[in-house]
Amino acid sequence: MNTIEQRTIGEIVANDYRTAQVFKKYGLDFCCGGGRTVAEACEKKGVDVESITNELLMLGERGGPADNYKDWSPDFLVDYIVNNHHNYVRNKLPEIRAYAQKVAKVHGRSHPENVEILKRFEALADELTEHLEKEEQILFPYVKLLVDAEKNGIERKAPHFKTAANPISMMESEHEEAGSGMEEIQALSNNFTPPKDACATYRVLYANLKEFQEDLHKHVHLENNILFPKTLELEKRLN
């Protein structure tokens, strides 16, 4: 059995999402960077691997996860992701954009970083809107087709993209871009910390940006570390 240090971060979080808080505490990426082992991630970040190992072991002693996403079927995961994360993104994008536009207009001169935050968020919003459509129109229907084919013994036609690995590779690349975009906004906003002279709208904007990033982390984790590997395994079984 692999030790905690030898296991990938994505594997650990996939087994128990509570561990995400430990990795987040030490600034270790568990969604886009989930393919690194704990030891590799700690070395790159300059984090004490023993400290993280001890916290993960203590977490395991407090009982199992509330939601074991890894045990969910791919089609159920797809519905969960769309209903909980895609809908959240679609609802939040215009709301946050409006706050960002107002803050940039009112406070842009005294706090010019907000002009750049608006610029970055608007670019991110456009990219994510297109990204969600591609998942829902191309990849997710194929995932459901695979599940149906295995469950009911239905012969499936090869998709125009040949294998799920192709759109998955594209989605993972776009996830990394979105994650990087939010990290830039996080840095520009001083870790989503409004200045002392911030008005209510200013504070609401930063609180919403922080919440949006947290949701994006879980969203990407569920796809990169659970849904996508399950889909590739299922496709392989049917070939």
Side-chain angles (χ1 to χ4, degrees), residues 96-108:
I96 296 176
R97 190 195 297 258
Y99 287 137
Q101 288 171 341
K102 185 174 181 180
V103 171
K105 181 179 180 181
V106 175
H107 301 278

Side-chain angles (χ1 to χ4, degrees), residues 58-147:
M58 288 174 61
L59 189 64
E61 292 172 358
R62 294 203 292 265
D67 292 307
N68 197 353
Y69 304 106
K70 194 175 181 182
D71 290 342
W72 292 2
S73 65
D75 54 338
F76 188 83
L77 266 169
V78 162
D79 288 339
Y80 178 86
I81 289 166
V82 171
N83 292 328
N84 288 275
H85 296 290
H86 284 203
N87 287 345
Y88 171 85
V89 171
R90 288 192 172 102
N91 290 331
K92 276 294 181 180
L93 286 178
E95 181 182 339
I96 296 176
R97 190 195 297 258
Y99 287 137
Q101 288 171 341
K102 185 174 181 180
V103 171
K105 181 179 180 181
V106 175
H107 301 278
R109 182 169 293 180
S110 56
H111 296 286
E113 66 273 10
N114 289 295
V115 176
E116 191 62 30
I117 287 172
L118 172 61
K119 178 181 176 182
R120 303 289 176 93
F121 188 79
E122 287 189 325
L124 176 67
D126 292 342
E127 292 165 3
L128 279 176
T129 298
E130 184 178 343
H131 175 82
L132 300 185
E133 287 296 323
K134 282 189 281 190
E135 286 190 333
E136 292 177 15
Q137 298 299 321
I138 299 171
L139 180 59
F140 288 179
Y142 181 61
V143 172
K144 291 195 168 188
L145 186 150
L146 289 174
V147 172

Side-chain angles (χ1 to χ4, degrees), residues 16-31:
D16 186 349
Y17 190 72
R18 297 175 304 159
T19 59
Q21 292 303 314
V22 176
F23 293 118
K24 182 179 177 183
K25 173 183 174 181
Y26 289 94
L28 301 181
D29 182 6
F30 65 87
C31 46

Side-chain angles (χ1 to χ4, degrees), residues 124-187:
L124 176 67
D126 292 342
E127 292 165 3
L128 279 176
T129 298
E130 184 178 343
H131 175 82
L132 300 185
E133 287 296 323
K134 282 189 281 190
E135 286 190 333
E136 292 177 15
Q137 298 299 321
I138 299 171
L139 180 59
F140 288 179
Y142 181 61
V143 172
K144 291 195 168 188
L145 186 150
L146 289 174
V147 172
D148 191 46
E150 183 175 61
K151 190 180 297 182
N152 300 306
I154 299 172
E155 186 177 351
R156 64 181 179 87
K157 294 181 180 178
H160 67 276
F161 47 78
K162 296 183 180 179
T163 171
N166 291 325
I168 283 175
S169 177
M170 180 186 295
M171 296 303 104
E172 288 177 334
S173 176
E174 292 177 1
H175 286 165
E176 191 165 346
E177 290 176 11
S180 296
M182 281 306 303
E183 285 178 2
E184 291 169 0
I185 291 172
Q186 181 180 10

